[in-house]
Amino acid sequence: MLNKIFLLLFLQLSILGTTHGGKILIWPVEGSHWLNIQIIIDELIKKEHNVTVLVASGALFITPTSKSSLTFEIYKVPFGKDRIEEVIKNFVLTWLTHRPSPATIWRFYQEMAVVIQDFHTVCREICDSVLQNPKLMERLKKGNFEVLISDPVFPCGDIIALKLGIPFMYSLRFSPASTVEKHCGKVPYPPSYVPAVLSELTDQMSFADRIRNFISYHLQDYMFDTLWSSWDSYYSKALGKPTTLCETMGKAEIWLIRTYWDFEFPRPYLPNFEFVGGLHCKPAKPLPKVLWRYKGQKPATLGANTRLYDWIPQNDLLGHPKTKAFITHGGTNGLYEAIYHGIPMVGVPMFADQPDNIAHMKAKGAAVDVNMNTMTSADLLNALKAVINDPSYKENAMRLSAIHHDQPVKPLDRAVFWIEFVMRHKGAKHLRPAAHDLTWLQYHSLDVIGFLLVCVATALFLVTKCCLFSCKKLGKRGKKKKRE
Amino acid sequence: MLNKIFLLLFLQLSILGTTHGGKILIWPVEGSHWLNIQIIIDELIKKEHNVTVLVASGALFITPTSKSSLTFEIYKVPFGKDRIEEVIKNFVLTWLTHRPSPATIWRFYQEMAVVIQDFHTVCREICDSVLQNPKLMERLKKGNFEVLISDPVFPCGDIIALKLGIPFMYSLRFSPASTVEKHCGKVPYPPSYVPAVLSELTDQMSFADRIRNFISYHLQDYMFDTLWSSWDSYYSKALGKPTTLCETMGKAEIWLIRTYWDFEFPRPYLPNFEFVGGLHCKPAKPLPKVLWRYKGQKPATLGANTRLYDWIPQNDLLGHPKTKAFITHGGTNGLYEAIYHGIPMVGVPMFADQPDNIAHMKAKGAAVDVNMNTMTSADLLNALKAVINDPSYKENAMRLSAIHHDQPVKPLDRAVFWIEFVMRHKGAKHLRPAAHDLTWLQYHSLDVIGFLLVCVATALFLVTKCCLFSCKKLGKRGKKKKRE
């Protein structure tokens, strides 16, 4: 009996025991995505985990640094940094040139399709470089990793996890039309009040807005389906069985979403989605003096009261008590630093989620936007004056800040908790909705509705037939009687 | 400048400051609901809040006790304890006699309708006793409460909160067909994989199951709509403006749901829903000896190894290392104590959510059920033997226990956090979905779909007309030319 009790106690302790010294594999994405995941990596290392980052030899922003408990596993790819730089440059320039609007959406789609297909070519070359490198795969297998953290913007991490037989989870800001979250993650997105990403709409939509939103979802869905569909055969081949990108992505244990309800409009989600926006934010350190970041040639018209620096500590600057406003391109990372410190914003959005991000802050009364393509210096000045002099902007920024700070557990701690949870329990299957086992038709109950309609139609048909038959009989009898 | 900084610091501190000495009003529900909310009340008192419970003079289980920081505001109702006892007894007996099944559902509905209408009569008399008692209402107004906690099973708490001009929140296990959560709270319930409450279905459904589930939702929806619709005029009259029960309930700031993902099948929810199931669970205290609870006459056939007691410390018993199984009627409170301590169950469900609760535990492999109406002693013995001797039941119960214990914040702490959040921020409007501002038609985008269909039809019609017109013209010309 005592043996059994000890066995159970051991079982319970081994499941619930604190997670230290775990082994975690990271499949990173370039740019701001890397900045964000770095914060998680640092925290994991603080908690005594060993983290390995898979880095392509041609990576642009992901610079291997030497740290104990942090390994950069560099694998060779058949291109250099210039190739990645070219892809990113083309992406940004194409977006800026053909900024999507209801009138130009088709042209935008056509131009972006070329860039995205090029991006996918690079992605596939990178993925091949790992999967077709038996020595690397063997080393990874021997690494006994317990979880892989990936970003679905850059496919392949999920394939590597499945090949290694370990659970994986995602860190994600958004996908076009939320297609990945919706179709692969099974999150419902009612188009009546959840604005489509990239639409710049809010949750307060007029009838015309709702029509635009409805079309936006379907148009972006179509774009995603056509542009990402080539991955299905790649995934099937890599995993050695017929599958799709979406089916594989649906196997993610936990989705760490890089926003929170201070920024998002409330909408449905699933228990394996965790909103950890602003996990990189922290209190400000004291500043040395007034600062200005600018890389490049000094403009001749620059005023004497403006200084240029290569790099500035943005977070410390936003947390300084004298900071009155934040002129921002609207990236999620910077925007969250402004929310954290309660600073109203002037948004000059450029591409990707930036126009959307600023639209969110505008709707919440904490920002004014100016159009980068058409703005004059007077526009910028007026916008700045508005957010500085109209107290509502500061009040709303402070309200968002209060919401951000008032959570039961800090975003970074929640992100790390769920990573460790997946390691402790070898997954989080209890949070996985059964929707993953249904086809599209079944998920929407269309087979059930169809069946019930056929039943009703059959019943109506039979009743009508019976009635007609009875009427005829009665009619005939009546005629017979009349004749008699 | 310094003044402004201090003002902002003060603002931030006053928003984020720890909440102590708040004033909270409770609108309780009888029976096990009261047991559950009592745990929250005790914790609120521990955190130095002042709690006032509104109790009808005819309350059955809610016994006013004298505690500092806890006030029972007793108001007179025109009936005694026997009236409440009669309603509860009728409810249970009717359920047991006409236990719902696909074949008897209509009879069950008709019989329950009588009982529920009687229940609503009592509810309305209770509500009247508060609203039409100007002295009491005046006293409550002077009480300067910051939040009211209610249970939507027993309407009226929301009206009182709105009359007092304070935010309110709910503690809820479920409503029939989840109608309140779905239609008033705007949570999506896809019938394809989310089993309807009271259906005893799981998230793994065959085609036939999904048909039954689909019909269950609509049938229960219909029952709710017909039986609860009389409240609409009551709410409109009480609040002095045309409104509905659902519209008013939709104003709840936070919904504390008394389950969690150790028990529920994963399904969509909204950010203002918090799953705090098992908040009453706690480690076991040592037991004095073997125990058996039984109230009534001692059966003549009772074995010598069984002792009878009026009351037993169920939680301590379930937490005892020698406890092997739990024979339970399947109430949510007891079931969560079994999950907490990892004890497999033999379920003998009786009424309300109990058959459903046991179906959940069965699906998760931690319970065997026996039918109370048909079971023999051999059935019970076999069920007990199964959960004790087949190790999978213990393993699954331990797995659920591990999930329950492995949360970022304990359920009770989360419940108290969100109550205090609502007090600190005077609500939680940032979590309220915009779906509340839409009609049923708009919510489902039916107006948008209709409009787009009309557009497409019109376009098709015009194109066809043009084509026909052109063809005719061309045809005529052809004929003319031929003739020429």
Side-chain angles (χ1 to χ4, degrees), chain A residues 56-76:
Chain A
S57 59
L60 189 64
F61 293 104
I62 306 167
T63 330
T65 48
S66 144
K67 252 189 208 181
S68 70
S69 313
L70 177 61
T71 312
F72 284 85
E73 178 73 65
I74 303 162
Y75 54 91
K76 223 181 140 31

PDB file of all heavy atoms in Angstrom, chain A residues 56-76:
ATOM      1  N   ALA A  56      19.972  30.200 -39.928  1.00  0.00           N
ATOM      2  CA  ALA A  56      20.525  30.012 -41.275  1.00  0.00           C
ATOM      3  C   ALA A  56      21.810  30.827 -41.406  1.00  0.00           C
ATOM      4  O   ALA A  56      21.908  31.920 -40.824  1.00  0.00           O
ATOM      5  CB  ALA A  56      19.506  30.463 -42.311  1.00  0.00           C
ATOM      6  N   SER A  57      22.758  30.302 -42.162  1.00  0.00           N
ATOM      7  CA  SER A  57      24.037  31.028 -42.330  1.00  0.00           C
ATOM      8  C   SER A  57      23.793  32.386 -42.990  1.00  0.00           C
ATOM      9  O   SER A  57      24.578  33.310 -42.819  1.00  0.00           O
ATOM     10  CB  SER A  57      25.005  30.187 -43.155  1.00  0.00           C
ATOM     11  OG  SER A  57      24.430  29.908 -44.419  1.00  0.00           O
ATOM     12  N   GLY A  58      22.685  32.529 -43.718  1.00  0.00           N
ATOM     13  CA  GLY A  58      22.405  33.800 -44.386  1.00  0.00           C
ATOM     14  C   GLY A  58      21.492  34.719 -43.598  1.00  0.00           C
ATOM     15  O   GLY A  58      20.941  35.669 -44.157  1.00  0.00           O
ATOM     16  N   ALA A  59      21.307  34.460 -42.299  1.00  0.00           N
ATOM     17  CA  ALA A  59      20.384  35.278 -41.503  1.00  0.00           C
ATOM     18  C   ALA A  59      20.859  36.724 -41.433  1.00  0.00           C
ATOM     19  O   ALA A  59      22.070  36.985 -41.393  1.00  0.00           O
ATOM     20  CB  ALA A  59      20.238  34.701 -40.106  1.00  0.00           C
ATOM     21  N   LEU A  60      19.893  37.653 -41.400  1.00  0.00           N
ATOM     22  CA  LEU A  60      20.228  39.075 -41.471  1.00  0.00           C
ATOM     23  C   LEU A  60      20.311  39.711 -40.087  1.00  0.00           C
ATOM     24  O   LEU A  60      21.313  40.323 -39.729  1.00  0.00           O
ATOM     25  CB  LEU A  60      19.161  39.775 -42.319  1.00  0.00           C
ATOM     26  CG  LEU A  60      19.448  41.228 -42.689  1.00  0.00           C
ATOM     27  CD1 LEU A  60      20.669  41.328 -43.576  1.00  0.00           C
ATOM     28  CD2 LEU A  60      18.239  41.829 -43.395  1.00  0.00           C
ATOM     29  N   PHE A  61      19.247  39.563 -39.300  1.00  0.00           N
ATOM     30  CA  PHE A  61      19.183  40.232 -37.989  1.00  0.00           C
ATOM     31  C   PHE A  61      19.567  39.308 -36.830  1.00  0.00           C
ATOM     32  O   PHE A  61      19.865  39.766 -35.743  1.00  0.00           O
ATOM     33  CB  PHE A  61      17.763  40.752 -37.729  1.00  0.00           C
ATOM     34  CG  PHE A  61      17.357  41.862 -38.654  1.00  0.00           C
ATOM     35  CD1 PHE A  61      16.484  41.620 -39.704  1.00  0.00           C
ATOM     36  CD2 PHE A  61      17.853  43.148 -38.488  1.00  0.00           C
ATOM     37  CE1 PHE A  61      16.095  42.639 -40.555  1.00  0.00           C
ATOM     38  CE2 PHE A  61      17.469  44.170 -39.336  1.00  0.00           C
ATOM     39  CZ  PHE A  61      16.583  43.914 -40.383  1.00  0.00           C
ATOM     40  N   ILE A  62      19.473  37.979 -37.073  1.00  0.00           N
ATOM     41  CA  ILE A  62      19.707  37.039 -35.984  1.00  0.00           C
ATOM     42  C   ILE A  62      21.207  36.806 -35.854  1.00  0.00           C
ATOM     43  O   ILE A  62      21.791  36.014 -36.585  1.00  0.00           O
ATOM     44  CB  ILE A  62      18.947  35.714 -36.232  1.00  0.00           C
ATOM     45  CG1 ILE A  62      17.475  36.039 -36.484  1.00  0.00           C
ATOM     46  CG2 ILE A  62      19.113  34.766 -35.052  1.00  0.00           C
ATOM     47  CD1 ILE A  62      16.669  34.898 -37.046  1.00  0.00           C
ATOM     48  N   THR A  63      21.819  37.553 -34.954  1.00  0.00           N
ATOM     49  CA  THR A  63      23.269  37.486 -34.801  1.00  0.00           C
ATOM     50  C   THR A  63      23.612  36.560 -33.637  1.00  0.00           C
ATOM     51  O   THR A  63      23.291  36.865 -32.490  1.00  0.00           O
ATOM     52  CB  THR A  63      23.828  38.892 -34.491  1.00  0.00           C
ATOM     53  OG1 THR A  63      22.982  39.872 -35.097  1.00  0.00           O
ATOM     54  CG2 THR A  63      25.245  39.042 -34.990  1.00  0.00           C
ATOM     55  N   PRO A  64      24.271  35.440 -33.938  1.00  0.00           N
ATOM     56  CA  PRO A  64      24.644  34.536 -32.850  1.00  0.00           C
ATOM     57  C   PRO A  64      25.542  35.239 -31.830  1.00  0.00           C
ATOM     58  O   PRO A  64      26.509  35.898 -32.197  1.00  0.00           O
ATOM     59  CB  PRO A  64      25.401  33.419 -33.575  1.00  0.00           C
ATOM     60  CG  PRO A  64      24.887  33.455 -34.975  1.00  0.00           C
ATOM     61  CD  PRO A  64      24.634  34.899 -35.258  1.00  0.00           C
ATOM     62  N   THR A  65      25.149  35.156 -30.563  1.00  0.00           N
ATOM     63  CA  THR A  65      25.963  35.713 -29.493  1.00  0.00           C
ATOM     64  C   THR A  65      26.361  34.576 -28.572  1.00  0.00           C
ATOM     65  O   THR A  65      25.686  33.558 -28.513  1.00  0.00           O
ATOM     66  CB  THR A  65      25.174  36.756 -28.682  1.00  0.00           C
ATOM     67  OG1 THR A  65      23.897  36.192 -28.364  1.00  0.00           O
ATOM     68  CG2 THR A  65      24.985  38.045 -29.423  1.00  0.00           C
ATOM     69  N   SER A  66      27.432  34.780 -27.867  1.00  0.00           N
ATOM     70  CA  SER A  66      27.892  33.699 -26.994  1.00  0.00           C
ATOM     71  C   SER A  66      27.346  33.939 -25.584  1.00  0.00           C
ATOM     72  O   SER A  66      27.616  34.962 -24.958  1.00  0.00           O
ATOM     73  CB  SER A  66      29.417  33.671 -27.030  1.00  0.00           C
ATOM     74  OG  SER A  66      29.933  33.347 -25.793  1.00  0.00           O
ATOM     75  N   LYS A  67      26.539  33.010 -25.111  1.00  0.00           N
ATOM     76  CA  LYS A  67      25.930  33.079 -23.777  1.00  0.00           C
ATOM     77  C   LYS A  67      25.886  31.660 -23.249  1.00  0.00           C
ATOM     78  O   LYS A  67      25.635  30.726 -24.028  1.00  0.00           O
ATOM     79  CB  LYS A  67      24.484  33.585 -23.906  1.00  0.00           C
ATOM     80  CG  LYS A  67      24.245  34.999 -23.417  1.00  0.00           C
ATOM     81  CD  LYS A  67      22.759  35.300 -23.397  1.00  0.00           C
ATOM     82  CE  LYS A  67      22.513  36.786 -23.592  1.00  0.00           C
ATOM     83  NZ  LYS A  67      21.094  37.130 -23.569  1.00  0.00           N
ATOM     84  N   SER A  68      26.069  31.495 -21.960  1.00  0.00           N
ATOM     85  CA  SER A  68      25.912  30.137 -21.431  1.00  0.00           C
ATOM     86  C   SER A  68      24.429  29.796 -21.497  1.00  0.00           C
ATOM     87  O   SER A  68      23.578  30.685 -21.423  1.00  0.00           O
ATOM     88  CB  SER A  68      26.421  30.065 -19.990  1.00  0.00           C
ATOM     89  OG  SER A  68      25.566  30.780 -19.139  1.00  0.00           O
ATOM     90  N   SER A  69      24.103  28.537 -21.671  1.00  0.00           N
ATOM     91  CA  SER A  69      22.735  28.022 -21.802  1.00  0.00           C
ATOM     92  C   SER A  69      22.055  28.427 -23.106  1.00  0.00           C
ATOM     93  O   SER A  69      20.892  28.128 -23.324  1.00  0.00           O
ATOM     94  CB  SER A  69      21.812  28.451 -20.652  1.00  0.00           C
ATOM     95  OG  SER A  69      22.434  28.266 -19.420  1.00  0.00           O
ATOM     96  N   LEU A  70      22.774  29.185 -23.972  1.00  0.00           N
ATOM     97  CA  LEU A  70      22.189  29.570 -25.260  1.00  0.00           C
ATOM     98  C   LEU A  70      23.113  29.125 -26.384  1.00  0.00           C
ATOM     99  O   LEU A  70      24.270  29.552 -26.449  1.00  0.00           O
ATOM    100  CB  LEU A  70      21.980  31.090 -25.309  1.00  0.00           C
ATOM    101  CG  LEU A  70      21.441  31.648 -26.632  1.00  0.00           C
ATOM    102  CD1 LEU A  70      20.075  31.071 -26.960  1.00  0.00           C
ATOM    103  CD2 LEU A  70      21.347  33.176 -26.575  1.00  0.00           C
ATOM    104  N   THR A  71      22.586  28.249 -27.254  1.00  0.00           N
ATOM    105  CA  THR A  71      23.384  27.737 -28.359  1.00  0.00           C
ATOM    106  C   THR A  71      22.772  28.199 -29.675  1.00  0.00           C
ATOM    107  O   THR A  71      21.546  28.169 -29.821  1.00  0.00           O
ATOM    108  CB  THR A  71      23.383  26.190 -28.333  1.00  0.00           C
ATOM    109  OG1 THR A  71      23.676  25.774 -27.000  1.00  0.00           O
ATOM    110  CG2 THR A  71      24.405  25.622 -29.299  1.00  0.00           C
ATOM    111  N   PHE A  72      23.602  28.638 -30.594  1.00  0.00           N
ATOM    112  CA  PHE A  72      23.117  28.931 -31.945  1.00  0.00           C
ATOM    113  C   PHE A  72      23.571  27.807 -32.858  1.00  0.00           C
ATOM    114  O   PHE A  72      24.774  27.623 -33.056  1.00  0.00           O
ATOM    115  CB  PHE A  72      23.637  30.290 -32.418  1.00  0.00           C
ATOM    116  CG  PHE A  72      22.909  31.437 -31.784  1.00  0.00           C
ATOM    117  CD1 PHE A  72      23.292  31.925 -30.539  1.00  0.00           C
ATOM    118  CD2 PHE A  72      21.827  32.021 -32.419  1.00  0.00           C
ATOM    119  CE1 PHE A  72      22.604  32.978 -29.944  1.00  0.00           C
ATOM    120  CE2 PHE A  72      21.128  33.082 -31.837  1.00  0.00           C
ATOM    121  CZ  PHE A  72      21.518  33.557 -30.582  1.00  0.00           C
ATOM    122  N   GLU A  73      22.637  27.049 -33.351  1.00  0.00           N
ATOM    123  CA  GLU A  73      22.954  25.942 -34.266  1.00  0.00           C
ATOM    124  C   GLU A  73      22.870  26.518 -35.677  1.00  0.00           C
ATOM    125  O   GLU A  73      21.782  26.711 -36.230  1.00  0.00           O
ATOM    126  CB  GLU A  73      21.942  24.826 -34.040  1.00  0.00           C
ATOM    127  CG  GLU A  73      22.081  23.620 -34.933  1.00  0.00           C
ATOM    128  CD  GLU A  73      23.276  22.743 -34.577  1.00  0.00           C
ATOM    129  OE1 GLU A  73      23.300  22.158 -33.477  1.00  0.00           O
ATOM    130  OE2 GLU A  73      24.174  22.660 -35.444  1.00  0.00           O
ATOM    131  N   ILE A  74      24.046  26.853 -36.240  1.00  0.00           N
ATOM    132  CA  ILE A  74      24.060  27.507 -37.561  1.00  0.00           C
ATOM    133  C   ILE A  74      24.137  26.464 -38.665  1.00  0.00           C
ATOM    134  O   ILE A  74      25.007  25.601 -38.641  1.00  0.00           O
ATOM    135  CB  ILE A  74      25.252  28.488 -37.659  1.00  0.00           C
ATOM    136  CG1 ILE A  74      25.142  29.514 -36.515  1.00  0.00           C
ATOM    137  CG2 ILE A  74      25.265  29.212 -39.011  1.00  0.00           C
ATOM    138  CD1 ILE A  74      26.425  30.243 -36.217  1.00  0.00           C
ATOM    139  N   TYR A  75      23.199  26.513 -39.602  1.00  0.00           N
ATOM    140  CA  TYR A  75      23.202  25.571 -40.724  1.00  0.00           C
ATOM    141  C   TYR A  75      23.397  26.348 -42.024  1.00  0.00           C
ATOM    142  O   TYR A  75      22.994  27.500 -42.139  1.00  0.00           O
ATOM    143  CB  TYR A  75      21.910  24.749 -40.759  1.00  0.00           C
ATOM    144  CG  TYR A  75      20.653  25.589 -40.775  1.00  0.00           C
ATOM    145  CD1 TYR A  75      20.067  25.978 -41.972  1.00  0.00           C
ATOM    146  CD2 TYR A  75      20.066  26.000 -39.587  1.00  0.00           C
ATOM    147  CE1 TYR A  75      18.927  26.761 -41.990  1.00  0.00           C
ATOM    148  CE2 TYR A  75      18.926  26.789 -39.585  1.00  0.00           C
ATOM    149  CZ  TYR A  75      18.362  27.169 -40.794  1.00  0.00           C
ATOM    150  OH  TYR A  75      17.255  27.945 -40.791  1.00  0.00           O
ATOM    151  N   LYS A  76      24.060  25.670 -42.962  1.00  0.00           N
ATOM    152  CA  LYS A  76      24.419  26.349 -44.215  1.00  0.00           C
ATOM    153  C   LYS A  76      23.227  26.454 -45.159  1.00  0.00           C
ATOM    154  O   LYS A  76      22.496  25.479 -45.354  1.00  0.00           O
ATOM    155  CB  LYS A  76      25.552  25.567 -44.889  1.00  0.00           C
ATOM    156  CG  LYS A  76      26.580  26.525 -45.399  1.00  0.00           C
ATOM    157  CD  LYS A  76      27.762  26.129 -46.101  1.00  0.00           C
ATOM    158  CE  LYS A  76      28.039  27.110 -47.246  1.00  0.00           C
ATOM    159  NZ  LYS A  76      27.613  28.491 -47.001  1.00  0.00           N
TER     160      LYS A  76
END
